[in-house]
Amino acid sequence: RLGVSSEAEVVTHRLQPGDDMIILATDGLWDVIPPAAAVHYARATARSADLIAKRLVTEALDKGTEDNVTVGVLLLGWPSGSRSALAAREGVGKPQP
């Protein structure tokens, strides 16, 4: 049956200090890129949330997604001493004095 559903797919995940980012995206991304691959692309790009989102959209389009693609990325910063390796490596999410 064809159509549009107004019911969103919702996943709950308790954040841990080792979590680097949150990737929110429409099914146009997830239809062609598995979550582990999206994280791989994000970590390989990791200059800014904007650049990561653009990379993921481009990857989905290159893989032939047939749906609209919207991606938002939130890079997570943790208190001093518990920042993720991604944040420490790329200099993002540093605590402000």
Side-chain angles (χ1 to χ4, degrees):
R1 183 175 144 163
L2 298 176
V4 176
S5 171
S6 62
E7 291 186 36
E9 182 177 330
V10 178
V11 176
T12 302
H13 174 77
R14 185 174 299 276
L15 295 176
Q16 302 294 321
D19 291 337
D20 296 314
M21 69 195 83
I22 297 171
I23 301 172
L24 298 172
T26 58
D27 56 348
L29 177 76
W30 305 123
D31 286 347
V32 295
I33 298 178
V39 170
H40 170 77
Y41 292 135
R43 287 182 176 155
T45 303
R47 288 180 180 79
S48 71
D50 182 55
L51 290 175
I52 293 169
K54 288 177 182 176
R55 165 100 189 259
L56 292 172
V57 168
T58 299
E59 292 290 341
L61 294 172
D62 288 349
K63 292 186 180 308
T65 188
E66 295 181 1
D67 207 339
N68 63 328
V69 182
T70 302
V71 176
V73 175
L74 176 63
L75 297 177
L76 302 175
W78 295 92
S80 176
S82 63
R83 284 181 298 143
S84 68
L86 172 70
R89 184 176 72 241
E90 296 302 326
V92 296
K94 290 183 178 178
Q96 298 299 317

